[in-house]
Amino acid sequence: MKNTLWIHIVIGVLTIVPLILFNIRKIWVRRPPDPVKFKLSRCIVIAVICLFIGTFLTASYHTAMNTRYEIAVERLAQKHSEMLTGRLSAAEFRAFVVDNGGEGVAASFDQAAADSDGVTASGDYTAVKFQFSNWLIPKYWEGKENYEQAEVLTDENPVYVRYVIDTGSAELTYAVRMRFADGGWKYDQFFVPDDGQVKDIKMNPGGKWYSVKA
């Protein structure tokens, strides 16, 4: 999430700042012995261009936040990690999942909480780190008994993804089924994966670990 934000900020700085610096001398024009003249029309044009670039980058950022499954699962794992380090309560974590999920996600979350202490262990750790997996598309989970079946909308929707949280003393693993709807990824089911699901939903060997501290 932060990388996506910084990329858009850097692009904005590298386009808007040079545009302003290049044109600033052309807005205030001095031709001795005449006094300095301010070119309002050029100033307005530059302002409009900068506004357009800023609006485009903002829209691009929000689109990326909503349409990339990696960002959706990173947000979930980030919130979960914040709960484990006490920056977020268990109730707040649940509210985040429910607010960004489908109709059935609340019941599955509550079942996962009953199955694993790590779903409610708010403030139990001073620091954790997490990593998330590649997605498991429908053709690999459809028809398998150990997966809750859902309507397949496209070849890549819905998908299963899992994430691992390293507490320093143990690794906690959770999984989520995500459905792309209304222009963004929604959490459709939250659960503790079994051994078969862990094997199916593969972690990226070179995946990045994200650190979260209390």
Side-chain angles (χ1 to χ4, degrees), residues 166-182:
D166 186 347
T167 66
S169 57
E171 284 192 350
L172 310 175
T173 184
Y174 300 92
V176 59
R177 184 178 67 227
M178 298 192 301
R179 180 186 301 273
F180 191 84
D182 301 324

Side-chain angles (χ1 to χ4, degrees), residues 34-207:
D34 297 334
V36 176
K37 292 184 179 180
F38 177 71
K39 290 191 174 183
L40 179 61
S41 59
R42 191 179 189 94
C43 181
I44 293 174
V45 170
I46 299 305
V48 170
I49 293 174
C50 290
L51 180 62
F52 173 79
I53 294 173
T55 302
F56 173 78
L57 290 174
T58 300
S60 174
Y61 170 73
H62 286 296
T63 298
M65 291 293 290
N66 291 328
T67 59
R68 288 178 54 191
Y69 89 91
E70 301 99 322
I71 292 179
V73 72
E74 182 187 342
R75 291 175 65 198
L76 177 61
Q78 176 78 29
K79 293 293 184 181
H80 198 156
S81 298
E82 289 177 1
M83 184 208 68
L84 293 174
T85 57
R87 293 167 58 181
L88 207 67
S89 69
E92 288 172 323
F93 176 48
R94 183 184 186 278
F96 169 80
V97 175
V98 173
D99 290 346
N100 292 277
E103 293 181 359
V105 74
S108 66
F109 182 91
D110 293 338
Q111 183 60 54
D115 294 340
S116 172
D117 293 337
V119 182
T120 56
S122 180
D124 282 10
Y125 305 95
T126 57
V128 300
K129 59 182 181 178
F130 70 85
Q131 184 187 57
F132 53 87
S133 73
N134 298 315
W135 64 6
L136 187 72
I137 60 177
K139 79 173 187 177
Y140 295 112
W141 60 258
E142 189 176 15
K144 286 193 173 184
E145 292 183 357
N146 60 330
Y147 289 92
E148 182 179 302
Q149 298 300 299
E151 180 186 2
V152 175
L153 302 177
T154 71
D155 291 344
E156 297 180 345
N157 185 24
V159 298
Y160 282 94
V161 188
R162 71 182 174 97
Y163 59 92
V164 174
I165 298 179
D166 186 347
T167 66
S169 57
E171 284 192 350
L172 310 175
T173 184
Y174 300 92
V176 59
R177 184 178 67 227
M178 298 192 301
R179 180 186 301 273
F180 191 84
D182 301 324
W185 287 102
K186 305 292 183 184
Y187 307 125
D188 208 33
Q189 181 196 16
F190 182 92
F191 61 100
V192 179
D194 60 29
D195 291 341
Q197 292 164 338
V198 167
K199 185 180 293 185
D200 291 338
I201 311 173
K202 301 184 183 300
M203 302 300 293
N204 184 348

